[in-house]
Amino acid sequence: MSTGRYRIQSVAEMTGVSAATLRAWERRYGLPAPRRSSSAYRLYSDRDVRADPPRP
């Protein structure tokens, strides 16, 4: 399994998808499913960043 490397704002900047949208996708569809740091920050892997967006 890929380890988390990127926090949500970095992923938002890399993908052009807002942090709010990433959080909504996680809540609604379970995707992406980032790991959490000991401080509860979402940590996205390279695989999470490359994944296709969820389709409702």
Side-chain angles (χ1 to χ4, degrees):
M1 188 165 274
S2 300
T3 59
R5 316 175 69 166
Y6 310 105
R7 290 188 33 195
I8 196 166
Q9 192 58 44
S10 297
V11 174
E13 291 170 4
M14 287 189 286
T15 62
V17 176
S18 73
T21 299
L22 291 168
R23 286 190 291 272
W25 287 348
E26 181 185 354
R27 185 177 61 252
R28 292 177 188 165
Y29 311 113
L31 295 170
R35 293 178 176 260
R36 297 284 183 138
S37 71
S38 60
S39 301
Y41 288 111
R42 289 170 175 85
L43 296 175
Y44 294 86
S45 67
D46 290 325
R47 182 177 178 186
D48 293 328
V49 173
R50 288 190 310 266
D52 290 331
R55 297 177 192 241

